[in-house]
Amino acid sequence: MLELNDHIRFISKGKLKDVEPLVDIWEASVRATHDFLKEEDIEFYKGIVRKALKGVTLLVSKDKGGVIKGFMGISPGNIEMLFVHPDWCRKGGGRGLALHAIELGCRKVDVNEQNLAAQEFYFAMGFEQVGRSEIDGYGKPYPILHLEKPDRRGTSPQ
């Protein structure tokens, strides 16, 4: 495990033995921010998240006591997921994770159109909308916004 700073830890892809604490954070975060989802949708996506956690490179954010409060999954060039426990929102953990992802070359992220807090977060970090899908990747009626951060030279996303 590589320590990126006092609160961010890197866990390499496929090395996470127990995904349940992260699934619990995901669920708490989703219940706090995704009020547009139905209960059956949350259960559906929970199974997908369990599997997806094992297929991405993970960064976790911990409190001073070492308890994981947020996590992010990345793949080359993409932030695949970023979730912070609701009790830890607006305290810098999510921003710290996103900044590390950007440093690692992640310039793209998709967010639910109905998740206004996520949109606000990414727009404040300099991401711009470059596209929109009417349905999500699983065919569900939850529109997705495709965001991209301009490169360091300041050019706009294409």
Side-chain angles (χ1 to χ4, degrees), residues 30-81:
V30 164
R31 289 188 183 281
T33 60
H34 292 61
D35 58 357
F36 53 91
L37 290 178
K38 300 173 189 165
E39 185 63 32
E40 59 266 21
D41 291 324
I42 292 173
E43 292 304 315
F44 170 79
Y45 291 119
K46 189 188 301 186
I48 291 169
V49 168
R50 263 192 197 94
K51 292 176 188 171
L53 287 168
K54 295 177 182 179
V56 295
T57 299
L58 289 167
L59 295 168
V60 297
S61 186
K62 297 181 177 185
D63 67 11
K64 292 180 181 181
V67 176
I68 296 173
K69 295 295 185 176
F71 71 92
M72 177 174 52
I74 60 174
S75 64
N78 295 298
I79 297 173
E80 300 293 346
M81 59 184 83

Side-chain angles (χ1 to χ4, degrees), residues 6-142:
D6 289 344
H7 305 290
I8 309 291
R9 305 286 190 270
F10 173 81
I11 301 175
S12 63
K13 184 176 176 179
K15 300 292 183 189
L16 188 64
K17 294 178 184 172
D18 185 5
V19 300
E20 288 312 305
L22 300 186
V23 172
D24 291 345
I25 290 169
W26 171 86
E27 185 172 1
S29 177
V30 164
R31 289 188 183 281
T33 60
H34 292 61
D35 58 357
F36 53 91
L37 290 178
K38 300 173 189 165
E39 185 63 32
E40 59 266 21
D41 291 324
I42 292 173
E43 292 304 315
F44 170 79
Y45 291 119
K46 189 188 301 186
I48 291 169
V49 168
R50 263 192 197 94
K51 292 176 188 171
L53 287 168
K54 295 177 182 179
V56 295
T57 299
L58 289 167
L59 295 168
V60 297
S61 186
K62 297 181 177 185
D63 67 11
K64 292 180 181 181
V67 176
I68 296 173
K69 295 295 185 176
F71 71 92
M72 177 174 52
I74 60 174
S75 64
N78 295 298
I79 297 173
E80 300 293 346
M81 59 184 83
L82 192 159
F83 294 94
V84 175
H85 192 280
D87 294 342
W88 215 45
C89 285
R90 302 196 182 273
K91 296 184 180 176
R95 181 173 171 76
L97 288 167
L99 287 172
H100 280 295
I102 292 165
E103 288 174 15
L104 294 170
C106 295
R107 309 302 263 180
K108 297 179 182 181
V109 65
D110 290 343
V111 298
N112 288 100
E113 185 175 69
Q114 298 101 320
N115 187 347
L116 301 179
Q119 287 182 50
E120 179 183 315
F121 173 80
Y122 286 111
F123 291 149
M125 298 215 46
F127 284 78
E128 299 173 4
Q129 182 178 339
V130 296
R132 180 182 183 274
S133 299
E134 191 64 33
I135 58 175
D136 71 11
Y138 301 96
K140 297 213 178 254
Y142 302 115

